[in-house]
Amino acid sequence: MTRENEVILEVENLKAYYQMNYFGVSREVRAVDDITVTMRKNEVYGIAGESSSGKTSFIKVLAAAIRPPLRVVQGTVKYNFSNGPIDVAHATPEQIETVRWKHLSYIMQGSMSVLNPVRRIGKTFQDFAQRPLGLKGEAFEERVVNHLARLKLPPDVLRAYPHELSGGMRQRVTIGLATVCHPEFIIADEPTTALDVVVQKEVLQLIRDIQTEMGASVVFVTHDMSVHANVADRVGIIYAGRLVEEGPTRDMFFAPKHPYTAHLVASLPRIGDTQQRPALEGRPPNLADPPQGCRFHPRCPLAVDKCRKEVPPMEVVGPDHRTACWRWKDVEPLVNTTAPAGVMA
Amino acid sequence: MSTLLDVRDVSKRFTMGGLFGRKTIDAVMDANFSLSAENPEIFTIIGESGSGKTTLARMILGLEDPTSGEILFRGEKVDRHAGRAARLKFMSHVQPVFQNPFEAFNPLKQIERYLESTARRFLDTGDKAVIDRAMDEALQKVGLSLKEVRGRFPHEMSGGQLQRCAIARALIPNPPLLIADEPVSMVDASLRMSIVNLLKSLRDDLKVSVIYITHDLATAYYISNRLIIMQRGRIVEMGDARTVLDNPEHPYSRLLKASVLSTDDAGAGKLMTDAGMLDLATDSVGQAGRLVDRADGRSVRVYEGV
């Protein structure tokens, strides 16, 4: 697979907070706290993190769906689209309208709640895609049918209601909606969480195929590390609103440099292996009142005094590999895995 | 050897529609298995959505009547229409744990209220001290304590903690059998193993048998003793978990195993499922076949002329 090194998205020092002011009491939830990341063209970037880690808020900003009480406090989110660069964190709704669906699109979680249950699939396609595509009538229909064929969906689904389709087919329809305009950048938010193993693999394969075929970049969000292992080129781990580690998928799995990543990887059970799996105790921190220093320290087995006081900076630890941990040199894979040749130990 | 649970030739047929266009769906067909009372085990039911695994669980819980066949719990028939006292007695022996802990708990009530109502019913007492002790004991078993839980609402806890509370609630009457319907599918990956390890310790330390329903083969391999794999209502393979999953024989079991996302070649981007395997697995849908015992202790469904 050839990867162009052209950058499509640059996120710099992004801070997005939920600011609420009820009855004179103001509350601030720092859902995205100082995230800097770049994504390249033609790449699948996986974002992992547990619920309430701020990953959905981060995605909302990336998708330019910033609605109060979520506010971008600091930083920029710059896309380099073919029709010119745009900073979606500070763009006007009219500017965002020019890139929505055509350049920037979104595969949503829970296909049943995305598709309108009382409209036929064809109608939904019209609502979504007719304007950005600028096609009408038969030309539009033809385009949609061709696109559906690529997703191995028969043209009949356009006349079906969502409840008449199986879960896997519905998810393919939402992928179809997101990709019909050939966007350059696709955000996929847990697209396979509700699916069975067999169907899940099909859907992942499909997203991967569409991505290679169209040359788009995909941001893939899920908490399931085994999905990242098979889909992503690079993986970024978000914990409590911060990016804690980022690197090529292989390195993240076989030579993690952050204790949290090491835990996520180690807790995956495998067929053919009944070794006792460690479980991470404790709960994710409350983002309205995050712990001092490194936010992972209350649950971290390696925590020392320094971790409780000072925030670790992002350090480069290998090619394309960054981590935010004071003790990254002491992080070891928790479960014995045989790393294939060519992986930096 | 006495049996704890005996499922004999159980089938369930649902009828949909009215006078016209009546359609029947066989959700479960001829399910047969039994759990022993002496050796607690984790018995796993694996299958995709629509394979009948939840229907089977509902029948074991007595929430659904089997169309044919019978389910015996400690030699007595599980009967939805038994009297209230008999139902209560049965419920104190067989307890469910549901999939989504956020739905199991009332978001407007404190967590302990749900535990309290269970304790009140099964201990048949109004004595605060007795109820508190029962709740605390149950919570201790899952690694929590009443002190931590008291006064908190479901949204104040993580999914993993809440699922532990749900398991604690099920443990209040000290049941010998738990039925856990996809207990980890709604829980975050980092907390998932804590629930799975908990089920394991319930079996090993408290001698509770667990029927673990899932579509996740990896956790099934990790904790279960025996398993059955279901496809469209039929058991297609049954036997020791390790034997079956190390080397599945039925085409559908093989497809399931091949669909598990492996992390061994992380980053290589391999996703292809063998198309032949998929065809082979779907071929067997709708064929009756019969279960045959193999030398290594498993049973596999085989089809005539194959």
Side-chain angles (χ1 to χ4, degrees):
Chain A
M1 257 172 276
T2 51
R3 296 262 173 259
E4 296 167 51
N5 274 331
E6 244 176 293
V7 170
I8 184 144
L9 168 67
E10 269 176 286
V11 180
E12 241 170 81
N13 299 95
L14 180 70
K15 289 186 181 177
Y17 298 168
Y18 289 92
Q19 289 171 332
M20 284 158 279
N21 206 338
Y22 295 131
F23 310 113
V25 182
S26 60
R27 227 167 86 95
E28 194 175 67
V29 177
R30 303 183 171 189
V32 181
D33 208 355
D34 214 356
I35 289 184
T36 301
V37 67
T38 57
M39 289 171 204
R40 301 178 199 129
K41 277 193 179 152
N42 205 2
E43 152 179 88
V44 180
Y45 189 95
I47 292 181
E50 52 201 327
S51 344
S52 78
S53 65
K55 61 181 196 301
T56 304
S57 310
F58 182 52
I59 291 308
K60 276 187 186 162
V61 178
L62 291 192
I66 309 157
R67 306 262 182 285
L70 181 65
R71 263 186 215 118
V72 173
V73 176
Q74 191 199 317
T76 54
V77 181
K78 270 199 201 111
Y79 284 98
N80 294 315
F81 288 130
S82 52
N83 67 340
I86 178 171
D87 177 2
V88 293
H90 300 98
T92 60
E94 290 76 31
Q95 286 170 320
I96 289 170
E97 188 69 18
T98 62
V99 295
R100 172 94 60 217
W101 303 122
K102 264 182 109 163
H103 300 279
L104 173 64
S105 96
Y106 192 12
I107 302 174
M108 275 158 277
Q109 185 178 7
S111 52
M112 201 60 202
S113 38
V114 172
L115 301 171
N116 189 337
V118 294
R119 296 196 98 154
R120 295 180 196 272
I121 303 289
K123 266 290 202 193
T124 310
F125 262 98
Q126 278 177 19
D127 293 348
F128 263 81
Q130 208 158 34
R131 215 144 72 101
L133 278 177
L135 294 171
K136 281 221 174 78
E138 277 182 17
F140 175 74
E141 175 116 5
E142 200 189 313
R143 174 81 180 261
V144 172
V145 168
N146 284 341
H147 188 69
L148 288 179
R150 227 198 273 177
L151 301 169
K152 300 190 193 73
L153 286 169
D156 305 347
V157 298
L158 288 176
R159 261 158 288 285
Y161 286 100
H163 73 267
E164 295 174 301
L165 306 176
S166 70
M169 273 172 110
R170 273 204 302 270
Q171 197 59 54
R172 270 187 279 171
V173 167
T174 54
I175 293 170
L177 279 171
T179 51
V180 69
C181 309
H182 287 223
E184 294 171 70
F185 196 87
I186 303 167
I187 296 163
D189 187 5
E190 310 237 7
T192 59
T193 318
L195 301 176
D196 282 318
V197 275
V198 180
V199 184
Q200 164 173 303
K201 199 164 182 184
E202 275 172 29
V203 170
L204 292 177
Q205 176 69 47
L206 188 70
I207 293 177
R208 194 81 227 211
D209 284 350
I210 287 271
Q211 182 264 335
T212 350
E213 205 178 317
M214 303 194 316
S217 311
V218 176
V219 168
F220 204 100
V221 186
T222 173
H223 64 245
D224 192 341
M225 289 299 282
S226 54
V227 171
H228 286 308
N230 288 278
V231 173
D233 298 313
R234 287 195 299 152
V235 180
I237 312 277
I238 290 186
Y239 185 80
R242 288 202 183 126
L243 192 69
V244 293
E245 189 175 4
E246 178 199 74
T249 311
R250 282 177 96 74
D251 292 359
M252 295 292 273
F253 275 85
F254 297 112
K257 292 283 179 244
H258 194 283
Y260 183 58
T261 318
H263 246 291
L264 283 182
V265 174
S267 65
L268 286 173
R270 255 168 260 241
I271 291 184
D273 182 1
T274 52
Q275 252 185 92
Q276 178 77 24
R277 297 283 159 181
L280 192 56
E281 294 304 325
R283 52 180 307 219
N286 182 355
L287 288 172
D289 180 23
Q292 291 280 307
C294 171
R295 290 185 175 174
F296 186 60
H297 83 253
R299 297 165 86 184
C300 181
L302 298 175
V304 291
D305 259 358
K306 195 176 190 184
C307 307
R308 293 184 190 98
K309 291 180 193 125
E310 291 169 57
V311 180
M314 261 297 186
E315 276 183 78
V316 176
V317 297
D320 258 355
H321 196 163
R322 298 185 296 156
T323 187
C325 179
W326 289 116
R327 304 196 55 192
W328 63 268
K329 289 192 180 94
D330 303 319
V331 178
E332 275 170 24
L334 289 169
V335 176
N336 296 326
T337 44
T338 40
V343 174
M344 286 238 329
Chain B
M1 197 179 89
S2 61
T3 54
L4 183 67
L5 183 79
D6 199 0
V7 176
R8 286 187 196 159
D9 300 321
V10 166
S11 302
K12 177 73 190 176
R13 167 173 289 186
F14 289 109
T15 312
M16 297 207 304
L19 212 50
F20 308 105
R22 183 179 292 245
K23 233 164 69 179
T24 59
I25 290 173
D26 289 302
V28 177
M29 284 175 271
D30 292 326
N32 263 309
F33 63 88
S34 67
L35 302 183
S36 125
E38 280 88 25
N39 305 314
E41 62 174 330
I42 294 179
F43 186 84
T44 303
I45 303 175
I46 296 177
E48 58 188 338
S49 350
S51 64
K53 55 192 196 306
T54 301
T55 307
L56 187 56
R58 286 177 61 85
M59 287 192 287
I60 295 169
L61 282 168
L63 299 173
E64 207 84 68
D65 290 323
T67 312
S68 66
E70 58 180 358
I71 298 172
L72 302 175
F73 180 79
R74 287 188 172 157
E76 277 174 54
K77 195 164 175 241
V78 174
D79 188 359
R80 196 153 73 96
H81 309 290
R84 186 183 149 81
R87 277 296 288 164
L88 259 181
K89 184 164 165 269
F90 171 73
M91 283 196 286
S92 71
H93 294 315
V94 185
Q95 276 287 323
V97 176
F98 296 106
Q99 182 171 8
N100 189 345
F102 292 99
E103 280 173 12
F105 286 91
N106 184 337
L108 300 177
K109 284 186 177 172
Q110 288 151 5
I111 291 164
E112 81 220 38
R113 296 274 289 277
Y114 186 24
L115 275 78
E116 204 180 288
S117 66
T118 305
R120 195 181 294 272
R121 164 158 294 171
F122 288 115
L123 304 177
D124 200 20
T125 171
D127 187 347
K128 261 278 190 226
V130 177
I131 289 173
D132 277 1
R133 195 165 353 104
M135 287 199 292
D136 196 43
E137 268 168 28
L139 285 165
Q140 300 278 359
K141 287 177 192 164
V142 300
L144 294 165
S145 68
L146 189 57
K147 233 167 70 196
E148 284 173 72
V149 173
R150 174 146 279 172
R152 294 174 81 176
F153 288 91
H155 70 266
E156 294 176 59
M157 305 196 105
S158 72
Q161 278 176 313
L162 212 51
Q163 191 62 287
R164 278 163 190 251
C165 291
I167 294 173
R169 185 213 58 84
L171 289 174
I172 286 175
N174 286 320
L177 181 62
L178 273 191
I179 297 185
D181 191 354
E182 306 217 13
V184 294
S185 63
M186 297 302 290
V187 176
D188 266 322
S190 68
L191 302 165
R192 191 169 289 174
M193 283 326 281
S194 74
I195 301 294
V196 173
N197 285 339
L198 171 64
L199 290 178
K200 210 173 169 178
S201 77
L202 289 182
R203 172 195 65 192
D204 297 341
D205 305 337
L206 299 172
K207 310 286 174 222
V208 178
S209 289
V210 180
I211 293 184
Y212 175 59
I213 299 171
T214 186
H215 58 241
D216 180 6
L217 268 70
T219 54
Y221 186 92
Y222 178 62
I223 59 167
S224 45
N225 301 82
R226 285 192 301 153
L227 56 80
I228 55 179
I229 295 174
M230 292 184 74
Q231 181 190 26
R232 299 290 165 83
R234 286 198 175 89
I235 296 175
V236 294
E237 196 155 350
M238 173 159 132
D240 178 70
R242 309 281 142 72
T243 321
V244 170
L245 287 182
D246 278 332
N247 193 7
E249 189 181 327
H250 191 273
Y252 181 68
S253 323
R254 294 225 301 269
L255 174 70
L256 278 181
K257 190 184 170 188
S259 301
V260 173
L261 297 171
S262 136
T263 51
D264 295 341
D265 46 5
K270 281 186 204 141
L271 271 174
M272 274 317 227
T273 306
D274 197 349
M277 205 181 239
L278 198 65
D279 293 343
L280 213 58
T282 38
D283 271 357
S284 53
V285 173
Q287 293 191 55
R290 60 196 167 83
L291 280 174
V292 204
D293 293 333
R294 293 279 188 246
D296 54 7
R298 74 172 104 185
S299 321
V300 185
R301 192 169 288 277
V302 293
Y303 306 95
E304 298 306 322
V306 179

